């Protein structure tokens, strides 16, 4: 919900934090698209998902005494991330940094999840997560289409998300 909310209100957040000039200012052009601070925030916010999930699976491996399994993947990902940044930043600036960070975090999540699943017996139910993700997508679509100031966007977005998540069974009435 938070990731979707920040993604949906990125223009308003950038305007609040940096001012009007940063909403449209661009120093990066990719093809015919001018990337702005809004573009960067809209990309980099997705690392938050990995920031919550990666430690869960890492700690699962550590608790099982399998922490040595984390060393090689992390070294590999470090090399790939630094290499990609060295190659891409000169051409695509801060957008390259945002993209390489998100891609590295997603690959890290996939690898660490795979290792945890292989080394530790656990089950993961994705049903509730998928229902909440659908509620988040609906929230993003509605908030982005309304283009309201930040506070009304937060109120409407939160209401839409909670309502949809409840209707889809993503959250239970007792919560």
């Amino acid at each position: 919900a938070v990731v979707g909310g920040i993604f949906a209100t990125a223009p308003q957040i950038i305007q609040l934090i940096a001012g009007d000039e940063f909403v449209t200012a661009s120093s990066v052009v990719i093809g015919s698209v001018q990337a702005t601070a809004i573009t960067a925030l809209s990309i980099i916010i997705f690392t938050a998902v990995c920031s919550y999930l990666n430690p869960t699976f890492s700690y699962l491996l550590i608790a099982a005494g399998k922490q040595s399994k984390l060393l090689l993947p992390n070294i590999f990902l470090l090399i790939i991330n630094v290499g990609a940044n060295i190659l891409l930043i000169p051409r695509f600036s801060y957008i390259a940094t945002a993209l390489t960070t998100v891609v590295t975090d997603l690959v890290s999540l996939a690898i660490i999840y795979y290792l945890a699943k292989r080394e530790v017996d656990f089950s993961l139910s994705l049903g509730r997560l998928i229902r909440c993700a659908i509620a988040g997508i609906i929230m993003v679509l509605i908030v982005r289409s309304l283009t309201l100031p930040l506070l009304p966007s937060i109120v409407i977005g939160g209401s839409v998300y909670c309502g949809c998540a409840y209707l889809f069974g993503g959250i239970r009435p007792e919560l």
Side-chain angles (χ1 to χ4, degrees):
V2 172
V3 170
I6 292 174
F7 180 83
T9 59
Q12 296 95 320
I13 291 170
I14 294 299
Q15 184 179 30
L16 176 70
I17 293 172
D20 290 332
E21 64 275 7
F22 279 90
V23 172
T24 56
S26 174
S27 60
V28 180
V29 178
I30 302 171
S32 62
V33 176
Q34 290 197 342
T36 65
I38 295 166
T39 310
L41 178 58
S42 296
I43 295 168
I44 200 72
I45 190 57
F46 287 95
T47 61
V49 174
C50 298
S51 294
Y52 288 105
L53 295 176
N54 273 343
T56 302
F57 299 120
S58 293
Y59 291 139
L60 191 58
L61 285 166
I62 292 167
K66 306 286 186 172
Q67 59 270 22
S68 63
K69 303 286 184 185
L70 296 169
L71 183 61
L72 286 179
N74 281 309
I75 291 171
F76 167 75
L77 289 166
L78 170 70
I79 293 167
I80 296 299
N81 184 274
V82 170
N85 277 308
I86 289 170
L87 290 172
L88 298 173
I89 287 174
R91 170 102 167 96
F92 301 109
S93 188
Y94 53 88
I95 299 302
T97 304
L99 285 171
T100 57
T101 300
V102 171
V103 170
T104 302
D105 280 356
L106 288 171
V107 172
S108 174
L109 177 60
I111 291 171
I112 293 171
Y113 173 78
Y114 168 77
L115 290 172
K117 194 72 178 151
R118 188 181 74 190
E119 299 293 330
V120 181
D121 183 33
F122 72 94
S123 64
L124 185 64
S125 172
L126 296 177
R128 182 163 285 139
L129 178 64
I130 291 169
R131 290 189 291 273
C132 287
I134 292 168
I137 291 167
I138 292 169
M139 173 196 65
V140 167
L141 293 172
I142 290 172
V143 170
R144 277 270 170 117
S145 69
L146 295 175
T147 61
L148 296 171
L150 184 58
L151 189 57
S153 293
I154 291 170
V155 171
I156 291 169
S159 300
V160 168
Y161 176 79
C162 289
C164 288
Y166 178 77
L167 287 173
F168 300 153
I171 54 176
R172 295 177 298 214
E174 61 269 12
L175 296 176

